Amino acid sequence: MQLTDVEKRMRDGEQGEPVRMAMEILMALGEIYGAERLIPIRSAHVAGLSLKSHGLAGTEWAEDLAGKGARVCIPTTMNVIGVDRSRDLKLPEEWAKNQLRIETAYECMGCFGTSSCVPYYCGFVPRFKEHIAWAESSAVAFTNSVLGARDNREGGPSALASGLTGRTPLHGLHLDENRKGDVLFKVSAPLTNIADYGALGSYVGRIIGTRIPVFEGINVPSIEELVYLGAALGSSGGVALFHAIGVTPEAPTVGSAFGDKKYEIIEVTAKELEEGKEKLTSAKDRKVDYVAIGCPHCSLNQIKELSILLQDRKVKEETTLWIHTNVAIKHLAKQLGYVKVIEDAGGVVTQDLCTILGNPEALGFKILATNSPKMAFYAPGSNGFNVWYGSVKHCIDAAVSGSWKSS
Ligand code: F3S
């Protein structure tokens, strides 16, 4: 790889051991992916900060780096961690203690403690064509597809290396020629809420793998629906970029989405959407003991909707309702009175953590209800939960009645 004089000095350790190590990581990745050079980036988002992903060895690695003076040189946000810093959720003490060690180490390196998979809801919004190095598959799908930023699916260490150097190898989705679509999905299925978009992403993700899907016929989705579509594509498949005709910035027309590329066409009717929903449902027992909303983390608008659904209602005593968001959104939701309505009903608005990367299984839950395709996809393996998947209204009804009703 060609390096500038400054980069050569970084590689040789002139800016300290952490930057030298970061350069080693980036150069190794560049060699693997055939990058000719590094490019400057405007921001990084570090993921894999849960104790589940980091482990104790990773915790010590981060502490060691922080102790050696590692400091990020561009705005670098942090993904979800596994505890709620604002309250005691009765998670195991040892877990919470070690989890906070990870967070402290990254904050010491200068990362923003947003602790969220939706930093774009907290003011970190990459611009069209801006090169970034973000980890967290749902955030990568959103920034690439909806904002038109340039990003590859980074891992935690490579995103941190980029935060420490302000650079990433030039390859993959940083290059315009690699951003054209592979398969056109003509959608005639009715899409009325987040769970429908999640089911669409789940169905398409299983077919498309890491290729680039292009959607036609999804009209005018909300930001949250696009976030959940990307999260589903990124979890059931390995999608880092999708286009939607007339919706996302690189796809005003079918021609612009594909360029000269030949492409396959697949129809998505109500039947395929139903298949997507069925794949996300693994429970048989209708008794629900845990309802979790907010994967990716809820927007303010989603929390408002939840407060309306919970107004003058009570979550069943044997059922726990957790709504995941980040500190910034929670603060606003509190100011606006939404958190009070939810908590008066017996729900909990968590901050910084989530079901998959936290440890709610330690509290003994068995049957989860959610409207999140990503949570439904990972929870059986990650938490050992059986899952009911459906709309947010369906989930809140389950929290109140303690059981899942057929739609
Ligand atoms: Fe976010 Fe955790 Fe889901 S990081 S996308 S809430 S698995």
Side-chain angles (χ1 to χ4, degrees):
M1 279 178 73
Q2 290 169 7
L3 298 182
T4 64
D5 288 346
V6 172
E7 288 164 353
K8 283 180 189 158
R9 292 200 291 274
M10 291 160 83
R11 175 202 62 192
D12 295 341
E14 207 173 271
Q15 292 186 20
E17 172 56 17
V19 169
R20 191 206 62 73
M21 181 220 63
M23 285 295 285
E24 200 176 301
I25 292 174
L26 297 178
M27 286 169 60
L29 286 171
E31 296 290 338
I32 290 167
Y33 291 110
E36 286 178 3
R37 60 187 173 91
L38 300 173
I39 48 167
I41 51 164
R42 298 292 288 267
S43 65
H45 179 67
V46 187
L49 302 179
S50 156
L51 194 58
K52 269 186 189 168
S53 339
H54 239 291
L56 278 179
T59 308
E60 282 160 15
W61 175 77
E63 287 176 334
D64 182 52
L65 271 179
K68 284 178 176 155
R71 298 294 179 266
V72 295
C73 62
I74 51 171
T76 302
T77 43
M78 288 164 59
N79 207 49
V80 168
I81 57 169
V83 288
D84 183 335
R85 286 175 295 182
S86 70
R87 68 170 80 220
D88 180 7
L89 288 168
K90 309 285 177 230
L91 295 174
E93 218 172 283
E94 196 61 14
W95 165 277
K97 192 182 83 192
N98 286 323
Q99 184 60 73
L100 288 173
R101 281 174 58 193
I102 299 175
E103 194 194 9
T104 305
Y106 279 84
E107 283 190 345
C108 184
M109 288 188 246
C111 301
F112 287 104
T114 43
S115 303
S116 181
C117 44
V118 292
Y120 42 86
Y121 288 161
C122 309
F124 295 92
V125 187
R127 287 174 45 239
F128 185 60
K129 290 199 171 191
E130 185 170 294
H131 294 280
I132 59 176
W134 285 28
E136 167 47 42
S137 61
S138 69
V140 173
F142 182 80
T143 53
N144 257 329
S145 314
V146 180
L147 303 180
R150 274 35 181 167
D151 190 16
N152 286 318
R153 259 173 86 123
E154 299 294 342
S158 66
L160 179 62
S162 290
L164 294 172
T165 58
R167 288 159 169 80
T168 195
L170 176 62
H171 71 96
L173 296 175
H174 288 285
L175 297 164
D176 285 355
E177 63 263 32
N178 295 333
R179 297 177 64 88
K180 295 298 179 193
D182 292 303
V183 181
L184 180 63
F185 290 90
K186 292 193 167 198
V187 183
S188 60
L191 303 171
T192 56
N193 55 45
I194 277 175
D196 288 343
Y197 278 87
L200 172 66
S202 162
Y203 175 79
V204 170
R206 284 167 210 270
I207 295 174
I208 196 107
T210 56
R211 293 175 295 160
I212 300 174
V214 178
F215 295 98
E216 188 179 60
I218 68 171
N219 299 325
V220 194
S222 68
I223 283 293
E224 290 87 352
E225 287 164 343
L226 289 168
V227 169
Y228 277 62
L229 173 61
L233 289 165
S235 50
S236 64
V239 173
L241 168 65
F242 67 88
H243 300 299
I245 307 301
V247 175
T248 57
E250 290 163 81
T253 62
V254 173
S256 54
F258 288 100
D260 296 335
K261 251 175 147 178
K262 287 204 172 21
Y263 58 91
E264 195 187 334
I265 300 178
I266 297 179
E267 306 276 343
V268 185
T269 67
K271 178 175 158 286
E272 283 77 33
L273 198 72
E274 215 36 55
E275 204 180 296
K277 283 182 189 166
E278 279 165 17
K279 289 268 194 246
L280 294 171
T281 298
S282 50
K284 297 230 167 357
D285 185 347
R286 290 189 174 270
K287 187 171 176 304
V288 171
D289 55 11
Y290 179 47
V291 178
I293 309 290
C295 168
H297 274 173
C298 284
S299 67
L300 187 62
N301 196 35
Q302 283 172 279
I303 297 198
K304 180 182 181 188
E305 184 187 3
L306 285 157
S307 75
I308 293 168
L309 286 170
L310 282 161
Q311 184 82 50
D312 301 326
R313 297 173 88 188
K314 282 278 176 220
V315 172
K316 192 149 175 103
E317 210 169 310
E318 303 77 32
T319 306
T320 295
L321 169 63
W322 281 5
I323 293 163
H324 304 309
T325 192
N326 55 57
V327 59
I329 298 289
K330 182 168 176 187
H331 187 72
L332 267 176
K334 214 171 180 175
Q335 294 284 313
L336 295 169
Y338 308 146
V339 171
K340 182 169 186 326
V341 173
I342 292 168
E343 302 207 334
D344 283 353
V348 173
V349 180
T350 72
Q351 72 175 52
D352 307 328
L353 96 161
C354 75
T355 289
I356 301 302
L357 299 177
N359 196 6
E361 59 274 23
L363 303 179
F365 309 132
K366 297 277 181 263
I367 310 285
L368 161 72
T370 186
N371 69 337
S372 161
K374 181 168 176 178
M375 201 192 302
F377 182 84
Y378 284 122
S382 160
N383 310 84
F385 297 151
N386 289 314
V387 181
W388 289 105
Y389 178 76
S391 69
V392 66
K393 179 177 178 314
H394 219 120
C395 292
I396 293 305
D397 287 349
V400 170
S401 68
S403 67
W404 187 263
K405 308 275 188 311
S406 301
S407 35

